Amino acid sequence: ISDAATATRPATPREERACAASDVRFVPLLVGRNAIVAFTARNSPVPNCLSTTELRALTGATPAPRTSWRGLGDSSLPVTVVVPEAGSDTREAFESRVLADPAAGDPVALRADAVPAPAGNQMVARVARTRGAIGITGFAALQPLPPGVRVIQINRGDGCVAPSEASIASKA
């Protein structure tokens, strides 16, 4: 048991029950905000902005996963999705907040051919050298923006928003 722990998400009901069963009192403290960021190789013909529906279609498990960027990036490049390793708070947040089907309210699984990569330099290097790749990571992991990659703006229905300290603070 630690006196302090960090997480990029609120405690789950299961974690809260485990604390109560162990007579552990926890106090959530907001010390900062982060954001999930989609990024690609700087020279990739991947669009500069994707809607949340497009992002979900590219990264989620569907009966017929999108195999190329045709129609989105006007390219026949294959889609490669690079995500944090299983168990990562960023991956869990992405799956529950982005891959959740708003119509059904049920989580959608990550596509089976998604490539897990350790966060940080290895993930950035993989995306930077793979034209047509889209990476998913936390905003802090891309600060400052490494050479060879660019962020993809996201449109949740009210225009494209680039990840920035200001957009994260305003929850845009």
Side-chain angles (χ1 to χ4, degrees):
I1 296 179
S2 68
D3 291 328
T6 62
T8 57
R9 57 168 176 72
T12 65
R14 181 175 165 254
E15 291 165 337
E16 289 180 13
R17 287 190 301 275
C19 284
S22 299
D23 201 27
V24 172
R25 188 175 140 248
F26 71 93
V27 178
L29 299 172
L30 176 64
V31 295
R33 295 191 188 281
N34 200 352
I36 297 166
V37 177
F39 68 103
T40 190
R42 182 169 302 285
N43 65 349
S44 185
V46 171
N48 290 324
C49 181
L50 292 170
S51 71
T52 51
T53 301
E54 292 166 335
L55 183 60
R56 190 177 301 108
L58 286 163
T59 59
T62 63
R66 183 178 272 280
T67 59
S68 79
W69 287 96
R70 188 173 318 247
L72 286 177
D74 295 327
S75 170
S76 59
L77 278 175
V79 172
T80 302
V81 178
V82 182
V83 295
E85 295 174 305
S88 155
D89 285 348
T90 300
R91 180 169 169 166
E92 288 178 15
F94 179 74
E95 290 172 342
S96 69
R97 294 186 179 144
V98 177
L99 294 183
D101 181 353
D106 298 327
V108 175
L110 193 61
R111 60 188 290 156
D113 63 350
V115 178
N121 294 339
Q122 291 180 17
M123 177 183 280
V124 169
R126 175 79 186 241
V127 172
R129 72 175 180 260
T130 310
R131 289 189 72 218
I134 182 170
I136 304 298
T137 193
F139 177 77
L142 292 180
Q143 297 307 305
L145 188 63
V149 298
R150 65 180 166 86
V151 297
I152 299 171
Q153 297 179 36
I154 302 298
N155 183 344
R156 295 188 311 188
D158 50 0
C160 296
V161 176
S164 67
E165 290 181 21
S167 65
I168 293 168
S170 71
K171 298 182 184 179

